[in-house]
Amino acid sequence: MALDRRRLQGSQIAIRPGIPADLPSLAAIENEAFASDRLSQRALARHLRSRTALVLVAAAAAGTVVGYALLLFRREATVARLYSLAVDPAARGRGLARRLIAAAEEAASSRGARVLRLEVRVDNAPAIRLYEELGYRCFARTAGYYEDRADALRYQKPLARST
């Protein structure tokens, strides 16, 4: 997905729930953002339809999807999971990951979650730094978690109660 970074600079970005029409953009972002452990277009479509998942998208004024966050929920559980987060490379450096995480936290809290958990590759220093800046704390390491056998760090953050 080739975005014109100059056009994106002045555009407003809205965070909204994903819709089926977003699927091609979501798949393109997924393929650009991750070298392995990618969600297939079929899996993304399933998550868009699922009652136990929420796909939040960052969309430019023209409707162009430039990032997403995928949340997973379990019935009656107080822990939600930030399963995937990706921003189009042309849209990085604009605070979109922070905004998507904040929206994910709010959505999880509104569904009754008290904690948001996630996994991150041990070698993804920028993501680790961001999560820690946002108050996430590492509570475990899972050996060989990723497709290429890289370890994952497991993080969590208590959520503010939704009123």
Side-chain angles (χ1 to χ4, degrees), residues 39-118:
L39 289 167
S40 68
Q41 189 161 336
R42 184 177 183 177
L44 288 164
R46 187 176 64 247
H47 289 308
L48 283 167
R49 292 187 311 268
S50 174
R51 291 184 180 168
T52 59
L54 175 62
V55 179
L56 296 170
V57 299
T64 306
V65 175
V66 294
Y68 79 90
L70 170 58
L71 285 162
L72 300 178
F73 303 94
R74 287 189 177 158
R75 287 189 187 147
E76 309 295 323
T78 59
V79 176
R81 184 171 175 208
L82 179 59
Y83 187 72
S84 188
L85 175 73
V87 173
D88 186 289
R92 290 184 184 156
R94 303 184 64 221
L96 295 180
R98 284 179 187 274
R99 290 188 55 205
L100 283 162
I101 293 167
E105 290 172 358
E106 187 176 319
S109 180
S110 73
R111 286 200 187 191
R114 294 184 187 147
V115 173
L116 187 57
R117 286 189 178 159
L118 60 92

Side-chain angles (χ1 to χ4, degrees):
M1 172 195 295
L3 288 179
D4 182 348
R5 185 181 280 277
R6 291 171 306 217
R7 274 194 26 220
L8 200 53
Q9 295 295 351
S11 67
Q12 295 293 336
I13 304 292
I15 307 295
R16 61 166 173 77
I19 57 174
D22 296 327
L23 189 55
S25 297
L26 293 170
I29 291 168
E30 182 75 10
N31 289 326
E32 290 257 346
F34 302 110
S36 64
D37 290 285
R38 293 180 179 132
L39 289 167
S40 68
Q41 189 161 336
R42 184 177 183 177
L44 288 164
R46 187 176 64 247
H47 289 308
L48 283 167
R49 292 187 311 268
S50 174
R51 291 184 180 168
T52 59
L54 175 62
V55 179
L56 296 170
V57 299
T64 306
V65 175
V66 294
Y68 79 90
L70 170 58
L71 285 162
L72 300 178
F73 303 94
R74 287 189 177 158
R75 287 189 187 147
E76 309 295 323
T78 59
V79 176
R81 184 171 175 208
L82 179 59
Y83 187 72
S84 188
L85 175 73
V87 173
D88 186 289
R92 290 184 184 156
R94 303 184 64 221
L96 295 180
R98 284 179 187 274
R99 290 188 55 205
L100 283 162
I101 293 167
E105 290 172 358
E106 187 176 319
S109 180
S110 73
R111 286 200 187 191
R114 294 184 187 147
V115 173
L116 187 57
R117 286 189 178 159
L118 60 92
E119 294 83 26
V120 61
R121 288 177 63 97
V122 294
D123 59 358
N124 190 344
I128 291 168
R129 187 170 39 256
L130 174 62
Y131 295 133
E132 290 180 352
E133 286 173 4
L134 294 175
Y136 287 81
R137 297 294 170 244
C138 185
F139 69 94
R141 182 178 180 133
T142 304
Y145 180 83
Y146 291 99
E147 188 176 277
D148 64 358
R149 308 302 303 149
D151 291 357
L153 297 175
R154 299 190 67 207
Y155 278 78
Q156 67 181 17
K157 178 182 178 179
L159 299 174
R161 299 290 288 212
S162 194
T163 56

